[in-house]
Amino acid sequence: MVFGQVVIGPPGSGKTTYCNGMSQFLQLVGRKVAVINLDPANDSLPYDCAINIEDLIKLEDVMAEHSLGPNGGLVYCMDFLEKNIDWLEAKLKPLLKDHYLLFDFPGQVELFFLHENAKKVIMRLVKKLDLRLTAVHLIDAHLCSDPGKYISALLLSLSTMLHMELPHVNVLSKIDLIESYGKLAFNLDFYTDAHDLSYLQHHLDQDPRSAKYRKLTKELCEVIENFGLVDFTTLDIQDKVSVGNLVKLIDKTNGYIFAGIDSSAVEFSKIAVSPVDWDYYRVAAVQEKYIKDDEVFDDEIITSPPPSSIAERDLQKDER
């Protein structure tokens, strides 16, 4: 079995930087890694790629020949790749024996929740080459500082999960810059767990542009909560502990952690269960490291930020 990651996310979310940093980390822990660049708009790669889509088709040529813009050109390139999937399969086959695969896809988000081409390419590789892939969906962490953008990110993550039909990990990337565009209204676990989104409504009402869409926003939040699929882990690609924690999670989702194990169901269960301190390293430790504490001490009265745990939020809601 061959394992790997499908790296996707909006433009600027750090996909190429992620592939570069992740490939270096995996090589340091003893894995042979092959990075496959399937983004024809990515002409300055910081990593050595084993396969480059520009050897098959170039975005600039498509735009010039067919009078298309960048968005239409990328859709055309994915369609062309689907029709020439044999080229990609032939390039991949020499790597299947001993490589871990990282697929760097374009940042055109509609390719992963609207169009079928990218999904068909991935599904063909999964079935034909027996790949075990996890979709790693990167979202820029600073979107949490804007309630409207955060809800948009949740909707994008949910739509992508439903469309791609792969094991899926949503990641708040650039977590070290999370407050670079403003303070967070809630503790970090509110944004990683994505529960009880009604608490965002007050903050949305402060913005005249968002207030007039109050009912629509409320309905969208209910859709996200009713599915109950979206949550996030965090990542600072320059922090080896952060990258290591993410690798552990991905290894469970694509089955890498179980490879080569010949044991009982009990032993598999022990490996699959999350460690007791997982939530601490996923959220609390990250908050302590990257987010300033705003608690104010005045005459022994503590003014705390909004409740950080789901239980506390539910308790306050019941009291009201």
Side-chain angles (χ1 to χ4, degrees):
M1 291 183 290
V2 184
F3 299 91
Q5 304 174 28
V6 174
V7 184
I8 56 179
S13 58
K15 295 181 297 299
T16 298
T17 302
Y18 173 90
C19 288
N20 186 33
M22 181 59 72
S23 64
Q24 292 179 28
F25 180 88
L26 292 174
Q27 288 172 26
L28 286 174
V29 298
R31 301 188 197 180
K32 293 185 69 174
V33 181
V35 185
I36 296 94
N37 175 45
L38 297 181
D39 183 1
N42 196 351
D43 54 2
S44 56
L45 298 172
Y47 53 76
D48 294 326
C49 54
I51 304 172
N52 193 341
I53 192 175
E54 287 203 339
D55 295 336
L56 175 69
I57 189 170
K58 294 185 177 180
L59 179 62
E60 293 147 358
D61 295 343
V62 169
M63 292 168 61
E65 184 176 345
H66 300 282
S67 301
L68 294 171
N71 292 345
L74 282 169
V75 173
Y76 182 96
C77 288
M78 284 296 106
D79 182 62
F80 190 82
L81 177 62
E82 182 196 350
K83 289 179 169 60
N84 293 273
I85 191 67
D86 293 340
W87 172 85
L88 182 57
E89 288 179 9
K91 292 280 189 178
L92 282 170
K93 282 179 180 177
L95 305 173
L96 298 182
K97 184 177 180 180
D98 55 359
H99 281 76
Y100 186 97
L101 307 178
L102 294 175
F103 292 89
D104 188 1
F105 271 89
Q108 188 81 355
V109 294
E110 55 262 40
L111 291 173
F112 304 101
F113 74 86
L114 184 60
H115 297 290
E116 293 286 333
N117 297 331
K119 177 184 176 181
K120 288 180 179 178
V121 168
I122 295 168
M123 289 300 141
R124 170 74 178 267
L125 296 178
V126 167
K127 293 176 181 178
K128 191 79 177 290
L129 303 180
D130 194 26
L131 305 186
R132 301 291 189 270
L133 302 177
T134 289
V136 180
H137 188 221
L138 302 181
I139 295 290
D140 198 323
H142 88 264
L143 297 181
C144 296
S145 62
D146 184 315
K149 292 178 181 177
Y150 173 67
I151 292 173
S152 297
L154 289 174
L155 283 171
L156 175 61
S157 300
L158 176 60
S159 301
T160 305
M161 292 175 77
L162 296 174
H163 184 74
M164 294 295 290
E165 298 180 342
L166 284 174
H168 200 101
V169 176
N170 293 306
V171 180
L172 292 176
S173 63
K174 307 179 188 176
I175 196 67
D176 51 317
L177 304 175
I178 189 169
E179 291 191 320
S180 59
Y181 289 85
K183 301 292 294 180
L184 299 184
F186 302 97
N187 283 351
L188 183 60
D189 62 343
F190 178 87
Y191 300 96
T192 56
D193 295 341
H195 291 297
D196 206 351
L197 301 176
S198 61
Y199 280 89
L200 290 173
Q201 197 67 57
H202 169 72
H203 296 277
L204 286 165
D205 290 344
Q206 307 305 308
D207 185 347
R209 296 171 298 176
S210 302
K212 65 179 181 178
Y213 301 114
R214 194 176 196 280
K215 186 176 179 181
L216 174 62
T217 303
K218 181 175 179 292
E219 297 295 332
L220 291 176
C221 288
E222 288 180 359
V223 169
I224 295 167
E225 289 184 325
N226 288 340
F227 272 96
L229 293 175
V230 182
D231 63 3
F232 293 95
T233 188
T234 58
L235 175 67
D236 175 4
I237 194 63
Q238 297 177 330
D239 182 355
K240 64 181 181 181
V241 174
S242 179
V243 178
N245 287 332
L246 179 58
V247 169
K248 291 177 185 176
L249 179 59
I250 295 170
D251 284 351
K252 287 184 179 180
T253 59
N254 63 18
Y256 183 91
I257 196 171
F258 305 108
I261 295 177
D262 184 15
S263 190
S264 66
V266 174
E267 292 302 316
F268 276 106
S269 299
K270 288 179 181 178
I271 296 171
V273 70
S274 295
V276 175
D277 57 358
W278 166 246
D279 273 338
Y280 172 77
Y281 287 109
R282 183 176 69 97
V283 180
V286 175
Q287 172 134 353
E288 291 174 7
K289 185 172 183 178
Y290 297 113
I291 300 176
K292 294 179 181 178
D293 189 357
D294 282 345
E295 289 190 344
V296 178
F297 295 84
D298 186 12
D299 296 332
E300 298 183 354
I301 297 176
I302 302 176
T303 303
S304 298
S308 61
S309 72
I310 299 169
E312 289 173 348
R313 292 197 291 268
D314 290 343
L315 179 60
Q316 288 191 7
K317 194 172 182 181
D318 292 340
E319 289 174 349
R320 291 199 300 270

